[in-house]
Amino acid sequence: MYIKKQRLLTPGPTPLYPPALHAMMASDIHHRTEDFRKAYRACLAGLKEVMGTAHDVLLFASSGTGAMDATVSNLFSKGDKVVVCVAGKFGERWAEIAKAYGLDAQVITVPYGQVVRPEQVHGALEREPATRGVFVQASETSTGAAHDVEAIAAAVRPTQAILVVDAITGLGTMPLDIDGWGLDVVIGGSQKAFMIPPGLAFMSISPKAWKFADSATLPHYYFNLKKEKKSGDAGESSWTPATSLILALAEALQYVKQVGMPHLIENAQLLAEATRAAIRGLGLELFAAAAPGSSVTAVKAPAGMDSGVIVKEFRNRFGAIIANGQGSMKGQIFRIAHLGYFDFADLFAVIAELEIILNANGFPVSYGTGVAAVQRIYERAAVLPQTVAV
Ligand SMILES: *Cc1c(COP(=O)(O)O)cnc(C)c1O
């Protein structure tokens, strides 16, 4: 038996930022006290700052899906016409939520690995001018593809519809100019690029979207955006907050601000670029080759090999938890994450491990091919001087 460290390398939950983890130990705090309000206010202000928006930001004690649900139940009415972009499992989730609440959804579906084109959204809006909302993923974590959010926003902005962006893995991995592009609702989650455990969701909300809250008639109780806004302005949450996670988020946001959001994004982009280079170098194929995002890279398993074997081998041989495909992609692809607290040292290890696993499972590669591709990108990017070490 040798030492094998467990490493969580999935696109949510992601590796934890150690000082944030330590901050959680101060959770014996009451949430209606000035000490806690300080942390809560720091989270709201910090989120606004790193998201780069002047819009209101709201926080919820839920996983990311809670904020997706809250958006629909607070801003829409039964029978409202909406357009839903479906490019993977998370797009399907938008369609399911819309259906659950009785919205009249025009669903644009593209095959897994591809993205909905802005012209398709434009066309859907032209076909149905009464459309009140457009739903999309910035980064479709299930396939590794990223939407052209800026161009989609340009199609939605002149209409009466609001654009709702699930940026749960988009934030911190791709530029999102919320105010400049006119992104009405932008949703994030704690367990992705924000480097803390699951359990917090948050969203920015534009003045255009707030107007929808005035006329929306769908029932809701726990997730109440207007109530949450009022509480947030007083430095509190409406209900008992996830205290430990708020303390962790306040700490993690300090770090994100120190690194700088543009550098956090560049970090993910570089790791994604290096991963693609390594994968091609090893003779493997990318799943979302046409529009690869930087939150996660989805790789096709070699012909005749179940991707579950690769995932299992990572865990058994190296204690590394990487992601299989979801739904019908299970067994077909495996996914290497880049969002949040990932660095080049993580990637060197992942690619070296992958080379060993491929060799051991009937797909011969010469050692170092993939690793060298990552090293070249590391060298070119000269990341060392900019990196903030902890
Ligand atoms: C992780 C994720 C979600 C949220 O899932 P939860 O399990 O509810 O946190 C939503 N959309 C995308 C694109 C995601 O990656």
Side-chain angles (χ1 to χ4, degrees), residues 197-356:
L200 288 180
F202 43 88
M203 64 160 79
S204 66
I205 174 163
S206 72
K208 185 177 175 186
W210 271 128
K211 290 211 189 81
F212 279 52
D214 293 332
S215 59
T217 57
L218 278 171
H220 53 264
Y221 185 79
Y222 182 79
F223 293 116
N224 183 325
L225 305 191
K226 284 185 176 178
K227 187 175 169 68
E228 212 54 65
K229 156 76 176 144
K230 216 170 137 197
S231 305
D233 285 347
E236 296 192 4
S237 60
S238 297
W239 323 113
T240 307
T243 312
S244 55
L245 291 170
I246 294 295
L247 298 175
L249 181 61
E251 191 69 37
L253 284 168
Q254 285 297 334
Y255 181 58
V256 172
K257 287 193 279 185
Q258 190 189 348
V259 173
M261 195 62 156
H263 280 134
L264 183 68
I265 292 170
E266 205 182 311
N267 186 75
Q269 289 174 333
L270 275 172
L271 294 175
E273 186 191 346
T275 303
R276 292 193 295 270
I279 292 307
R280 289 197 197 96
L282 289 169
L284 293 178
E285 251 182 276
L286 298 165
F287 185 62
S294 299
S295 66
V296 61
T297 297
V299 184
K300 290 189 198 173
M305 197 189 298
D306 190 304
S307 66
V309 171
I310 297 174
V311 173
K312 211 164 165 181
E313 283 271 79
F314 265 106
R315 190 175 60 234
N316 292 346
R317 287 174 183 262
F318 304 107
I321 315 294
I322 67 154
N324 200 325
Q326 295 168 260
S328 65
M329 292 169 279
K330 191 165 184 207
Q332 311 294 311
I333 61 172
F334 61 96
R335 292 173 297 150
I336 299 172
H338 320 295
L339 71 175
Y341 201 56
F342 281 94
D343 66 7
F344 268 91
D346 292 323
L347 191 57
F348 290 139
V350 167
I351 300 299
E353 291 162 12
L354 177 62
E355 290 179 355
I356 291 169

Side-chain angles (χ1 to χ4, degrees), residues 63-65 68 90 93 137 139 141 166 168-169 191-192:
S63 80
T65 307
M68 296 169 75
F90 292 101
R93 189 168 299 178
Q137 268 64 39
S139 148
T141 320
D166 165 1
I168 294 175
T169 56
Q191 81 275 31
K192 309 286 173 129

Side-chain angles (χ1 to χ4, degrees), residues 17-29 197 243-249 251:
Y17 172 59
L21 199 53
H22 301 156
M24 295 176 81
M25 287 191 284
S27 306
D28 53 344
I29 184 173
T243 312
S244 55
L245 291 170
I246 294 295
L247 298 175
L249 181 61
E251 191 69 37

